[in-house]
Amino acid sequence: MTESSAPSIRLDKWLWHARFCKTRSLAQKWCASGQVSVNGTSIHKPATSVKPGDVISFLSGPYRRTVVVQAPGERRGPAPEAQTLYDEPEPPVKQTDDFMPHRPRGMGRPTKKDRRAMAAFKDDGMSG
């Protein structure tokens, strides 16, 4: 196959088909925020095409995941079908404690000051 005839799919749609995102709009937000990179390049457009062989890296909770696209996918099917769309060559890497705010168990509800600090942290993380 030539480069132009290789089957491809939009990045946001592939993330949704592979069940990394619960909704397609969430996948679009991930792409727009710059949290996803394809072949080492940070992506800011959900319409970016991906094809088999592309390496996608993204944050999923406290973990950095790197997957290789195996197939574009036809639909959002059951989990066993979604797992055939990608290969994960190495296990997810947990980010350092500096990256994610940590609150010890048993500390009760966050105070107003804690909530403001968490909100400020989330806003800074989304600005790309």
Side-chain angles (χ1 to χ4, degrees), residues 34-37 56-66 88 90-95 99:
Q35 293 182 9
V36 181
S37 65
I56 300 175
S57 181
F58 56 92
L59 285 175
S60 178
Y63 296 97
R64 164 120 347 241
R65 297 184 74 175
T66 303
E88 197 161 12
E90 53 194 48
V93 177
K94 186 168 176 124
Q95 297 296 312
F99 180 74

Side-chain angles (χ1 to χ4, degrees), residues 39-100:
N39 297 329
T41 305
S42 182
I43 300 299
H44 295 282
K45 294 188 177 188
T48 302
S49 292
V50 294
K51 59 190 179 313
D54 285 346
V55 177
I56 300 175
S57 181
F58 56 92
L59 285 175
S60 178
Y63 296 97
R64 164 120 347 241
R65 297 184 74 175
T66 303
V67 296
V68 178
V69 178
Q70 297 295 318
E74 298 290 323
R75 66 185 184 118
R76 181 178 166 91
E81 182 180 318
Q83 290 170 350
T84 64
L85 300 180
Y86 64 91
D87 178 39
E88 197 161 12
E90 53 194 48
V93 177
K94 186 168 176 124
Q95 297 296 312
T96 62
D97 289 334
D98 296 339
F99 180 74
M100 297 291 285

Side-chain angles (χ1 to χ4, degrees), residues 103 108-116 118:
R103 194 167 162 75
R109 290 182 60 178
T111 63
K112 190 170 188 175
K113 183 178 178 182
D114 292 337
R115 289 194 304 273
R116 285 182 178 155
M118 285 188 278

Side-chain angles (χ1 to χ4, degrees), residues 4-46:
S4 61
S5 67
S8 64
I9 188 170
R10 286 174 57 117
L11 177 60
D12 62 331
K13 206 170 185 180
W14 187 87
L15 288 169
W16 180 61
H17 282 184
R19 294 186 163 266
F20 290 115
C21 294
K22 230 176 186 180
T23 64
R24 188 160 166 206
S25 62
L26 179 61
Q28 290 170 343
K29 287 178 186 175
W30 273 16
C31 296
S33 70
Q35 293 182 9
V36 181
S37 65
V38 176
N39 297 329
T41 305
S42 182
I43 300 299
H44 295 282
K45 294 188 177 188

